[in-house]
Amino acid sequence: MARHLITSAIPYINGIKHLGNLVGSQLPADLYARYLRGRGHEVLFLCATDEHGTPAELAAAKAGKPVREYCAEMHAVQADIARGFRLSFDHFGRSSSPQNHRLTQHFAGRLADADLIREVTERQMYSPADGRFLPDRYIEGTCPNCGFDSARGDQCDNCTKQLDPVDLINPHSTISGSTDLEMRETKHLYLRQSAMKDQLEAWIDSKTDWPVLTTSIARKWLNDGDGLQDRGITRDLDWGIPVRKGDADWPGMEGKVFYVWFDAPIEYIACAQEWVEAGKGDDWERWWRTDKGADDVSYTQFMGKDNVPFHTLGFPATIIGSGEPWKLVDFIKSFNYLNYDGGQFSTSRGRGVFMDQALDILPADYWRWWLLSHAPESSDAEFTWENFQASVNKDLADVLGNFVSRVTKFARSRFGEAVPDGGAYGPQEETLIADLTKRIATYQAHMDAMEVRKSAQELRAIWVAGNEYLQTAAPWAAFKSDPDRAAAIVRLSLNLIRVYAILSAPFIPDTADTMLNAFGSAPDRRWPRGTPDDFTVLQPGDAFSVPENLFAKIEDSQRADWQERFAGTRI
RNA sequence: GGGCCUGUAGCUCAACGGUUAGAGCAGAGCGCUCAUAACGCUUUGGUUGGGGGUUCAAAUCCCUCCGGGCCUACCA
């Protein structure tokens, strides 16, 4: 039994996330957490909402609410949807928590003491009409390079040229439309990542088993241009964690807050404190402090590729730079993007399926299965309704659902609602058990390696083996000539359902519960040990019931309807 | 512009220098009748994006061209 700390990239607060966000971090993290718990390991699985920054302030303003109130509401909404998808966080925290305030300020103080913070005076666009400094991309104007009239201040979407806001012709605020913009001086804190470049690079180099996607992005940032750049960690905003040096004021930084990308990863740690505060645990330091028991913790982070630089460089720089014995990540599992039907998901255009909508039309397990079995591991992947319908109908309804249905209904009709006695497992059963034992070992190896698609593929093959066995053993024929033989076949088949439920639970937890509940309220839920005993847990006389069909097929008419509904509006 | 990833059967993907490039779906044929017209077996289908090179041996390594994607540090 090992101890596993698992975190999912924390979703931003300003709205409901789409399926691409889900499959890139929270869902595979949940798969891994459920699997490890199933195998008897001790797991702490944490996630939170990322609540600071300009977009949160603007979203709150648009909703006509104080930002504090808006975030509290959106956190509740996201927590509710997470529950709907059966994301089994031990705690779903908030980056705006008091714990994170204290800890973020603490880290800043430590970094300052270590001479890893420098103050930089710079000039930024200020909009008097909006009453705020504007991040580059909140300024638009005509591109001096190609003449595109909606070029953003950081880059022109038309000709892809990188820009500076002052380059724009007729610049205006995208918030208010105001053209009254001025350059103002402001002072900010920079994290001296460049001073830690060699340390960070050596650390990345030591991670030879990480996905290429993870290490290549990290190396790019380490070596691109002049190498790893120092990074601003403060902003001129109202909503955020006030800049303080530990418990002390930070002269000259009054009214400023830390940048979200500084405080968001720290929330991983603060979240464990929230977990204790919420009465769900009693010792967070044994998960996070290597001097207090976290030495043997295996820490895995899940995230989309856009998050990789902050997790491979920024956050480690914070942790290492603190000089304190915090736990560093052991493995970073990163994902590419999921596209929607030939294009990108688009919040603004309402294009694609968002988490709340997904749960409105189908139960979580349908989505979990498709998303995980098509996880964008090696390249960007694409959601299409045709593929979704085909996969769900075939894999879930036909292969697994129908297997459970045919076994339980046959058993009931011939032997009644209890595991039948009589006969014994013979060569066919031994062959199947040997095959499954091997396949389960393969499945576990893929899950251990977080090879999500391969795990799904092997799990499906395990389901298929049940159907193959039934076809070969043909209990319906045996029943006529040798009822004891049929009884043995049915006994094994019912045991298969129990084993399948346990193996499948990380992917489709609700369905797994339904399958297990067919055998009463307290069936043995222990993970298979890899011996033939795994298939004799259900004994003659044990009661079972026939569950409702596990999965309904998606009809062509439904598919067409949804296709239409989620296509979004063209601009 | 630069960097990284990617291109394999109609579709979604494996194969990571070593038999004859494999699976699932879709298509075709056969079988079964327990089951959600479900399941099983067999089978069609590929000059591995094009071209060149290295090697006894290349989907795999190198060069080049073409296509797709991502990142490029003030959105998060």
Side-chain angles (χ1 to χ4, degrees):
Chain A
M1 170 154 150
R3 297 170 59 219
H4 289 269
L5 173 62
I6 299 170
T7 59
S8 159
I10 64 178
Y12 199 65
I13 194 71
N14 70 340
I16 291 164
K17 302 297 117 177
H18 55 63
L19 296 180
N21 297 128
L22 178 64
V23 75
S25 53
Q26 292 179 322
L27 194 50
D30 181 68
L31 178 79
Y32 192 53
R34 285 178 178 274
Y35 166 71
L36 292 173
R37 288 193 199 106
R39 296 214 57 186
H41 298 304
E42 190 179 355
V43 170
L44 183 63
F45 177 26
L46 301 174
C47 192
T49 39
D50 177 14
E51 305 194 357
H52 300 130
T54 307
E57 290 192 350
L58 297 179
K62 195 175 173 189
K65 291 174 180 167
V67 64
R68 189 175 302 276
E69 192 180 310
Y70 172 81
C71 287
E73 284 176 15
M74 284 310 300
H75 175 81
V77 168
Q78 291 208 21
D80 190 49
I81 294 171
R83 274 191 293 276
F85 272 98
R86 305 298 182 253
L87 301 175
S88 59
F89 308 135
D90 289 295
H91 189 71
F92 187 57
R94 302 181 59 185
S95 70
S96 62
S97 68
Q99 289 86 349
N100 198 35
H101 276 238
R102 280 198 299 275
L103 197 56
T104 298
Q105 290 163 347
H106 167 80
F107 271 109
R110 293 289 306 188
L111 292 166
D113 292 346
D115 193 28
L116 288 168
I117 302 269
R118 63 186 174 96
E119 295 186 4
V120 175
T121 300
E122 53 196 12
R123 290 160 61 81
Q124 283 189 2
M125 281 284 189
Y126 185 84
S127 167
D130 296 296
R132 59 165 69 235
F133 282 95
L134 295 177
D136 291 352
R137 68 172 47 203
Y138 285 93
I139 299 163
E140 282 187 2
T142 301
C143 176
N145 188 49
C146 72
F148 181 60
D149 65 1
S150 307
R152 288 199 320 253
D154 56 341
Q155 187 173 36
C156 174
D157 278 341
N158 187 50
C159 68
T160 73
K161 186 179 171 61
Q162 286 174 64
L163 302 172
D164 199 277
V166 295
D167 298 336
L168 293 172
I169 301 161
N170 302 323
H172 61 271
S173 160
T174 60
I175 302 166
S176 61
S178 170
T179 54
D180 177 21
L181 303 172
E182 63 189 54
M183 289 302 266
R184 279 197 190 177
E185 278 203 348
T186 179
K187 192 162 70 174
H188 283 296
L189 302 181
Y190 273 64
L191 175 61
R192 296 179 57 218
Q193 297 184 140
S194 58
M196 285 182 279
K197 193 231 171 196
D198 292 345
Q199 250 178 303
L200 291 167
E201 188 159 34
W203 178 66
I204 295 292
D205 285 344
S206 73
K207 304 300 182 185
T208 52
D209 61 335
W210 284 11
V212 188
L213 185 63
T214 305
T215 52
S216 66
I217 292 173
R219 289 209 173 86
K220 163 74 171 166
W221 280 57
L222 281 165
N223 300 312
D224 193 36
D226 299 328
L228 186 61
Q229 301 296 298
D230 293 343
R231 187 163 185 109
I233 59 164
T234 55
R235 289 292 182 273
D236 289 294
L237 291 174
D238 297 324
W239 174 237
I241 297 177
V243 176
R244 293 175 69 80
K245 196 180 289 185
D247 296 331
D249 289 340
W250 202 311
M253 286 293 136
E254 295 81 7
K256 296 175 192 285
V257 300
F258 287 107
Y259 180 37
V260 278
W261 266 116
F262 185 69
D263 77 62
I266 295 171
E267 167 62 13
Y268 290 145
I269 305 174
C271 188
Q273 299 176 353
E274 292 177 52
W275 167 73
V276 170
E277 193 87 359
K280 300 171 181 171
D282 52 19
D283 185 357
W284 64 271
E285 290 185 312
R286 66 188 281 269
W287 291 98
W288 273 109
R289 291 287 295 224
T290 56
D291 58 333
K292 293 178 179 171
D295 249 344
D296 64 340
V297 167
S298 176
Y299 177 24
T300 309
Q301 294 176 340
F302 289 81
M303 69 198 65
K305 57 185 167 186
D306 51 331
N307 275 318
V308 169
F310 307 101
H311 288 78
T312 52
L313 305 169
F315 188 41
T318 300
I319 287 199
I320 295 169
S322 76
E324 295 174 326
W326 299 101
K327 176 74 192 169
L328 267 176
V329 67
D330 294 301
F331 192 89
I332 295 182
K333 175 73 177 177
S334 54
F335 290 85
N336 287 284
Y337 293 146
L338 179 69
N339 291 317
Y340 180 81
D341 205 12
Q344 294 184 334
F345 279 84
S346 169
T347 306
S348 58
R349 298 180 191 192
R351 185 168 195 282
V353 186
F354 289 74
M355 287 173 71
D356 56 338
Q357 300 169 325
L359 291 176
D360 283 344
I361 62 177
L362 285 170
D365 282 355
Y366 289 63
W367 298 106
R368 291 179 62 108
W369 173 254
W370 189 90
L371 290 168
L372 289 167
S373 63
H374 294 80
E377 291 178 298
S378 56
S379 62
D380 290 354
E382 175 156 315
F383 177 91
T384 65
W385 286 102
E386 287 82 1
N387 190 306
F388 178 68
Q389 178 191 28
S391 297
V392 162
N393 286 357
K394 195 68 192 175
D395 300 346
L396 296 181
D398 294 345
V399 175
L400 177 62
N402 183 56
F403 175 77
V404 171
S405 174
R406 68 195 295 206
V407 167
T408 53
K409 285 176 182 167
F410 179 81
R412 180 178 61 184
S413 73
R414 300 298 195 276
F415 299 101
E417 290 185 288
V419 178
D421 198 358
Y425 291 177
Q428 286 185 332
E429 286 68 35
E430 283 163 22
T431 302
L432 173 69
I433 289 170
D435 179 45
L436 284 179
T437 301
K438 200 181 298 175
R439 286 192 179 282
I440 291 168
T442 303
Y443 173 63
Q444 289 170 176
H446 287 324
M447 290 291 267
D448 286 335
M450 286 162 267
E451 292 275 8
V452 178
R453 281 182 186 233
K454 287 180 183 173
S455 299
Q457 205 172 7
E458 194 60 32
L459 179 59
R460 185 190 191 279
I462 287 168
W463 298 340
V464 166
N467 283 314
E468 289 171 354
Y469 165 71
L470 275 189
Q471 185 65 28
T472 312
W476 47 90
F479 186 78
K480 294 171 189 162
S481 55
D482 183 358
D484 274 355
R485 171 73 192 133
I489 296 168
V490 166
R491 197 157 61 245
L492 176 56
S493 300
L494 289 168
N495 268 287
L496 286 181
I497 293 175
R498 190 195 71 92
V499 172
Y500 286 2
I502 295 165
L503 295 176
S504 307
F507 281 88
I508 46 174
D510 286 349
T511 305
D513 277 343
T514 303
M515 290 164 71
L516 283 169
N517 289 340
F519 302 105
S521 54
D524 187 334
R525 292 175 180 244
R526 270 177 308 173
W527 194 267
R529 288 174 299 171
T531 67
D533 298 345
D534 297 331
F535 302 92
T536 56
V537 169
L538 298 175
Q539 291 285 309
D542 288 351
F544 75 91
S545 58
V546 176
E548 292 292 313
N549 281 343
L550 300 181
F551 299 98
K553 291 202 194 196
I554 296 169
E555 304 294 335
D556 289 348
S557 58
Q558 292 177 295
R559 188 205 69 209
D561 181 34
W562 294 332
Q563 213 155 12
E564 171 82 10
R565 189 157 135 203
F566 297 106
T569 52
R570 292 198 177 272
I571 292 175

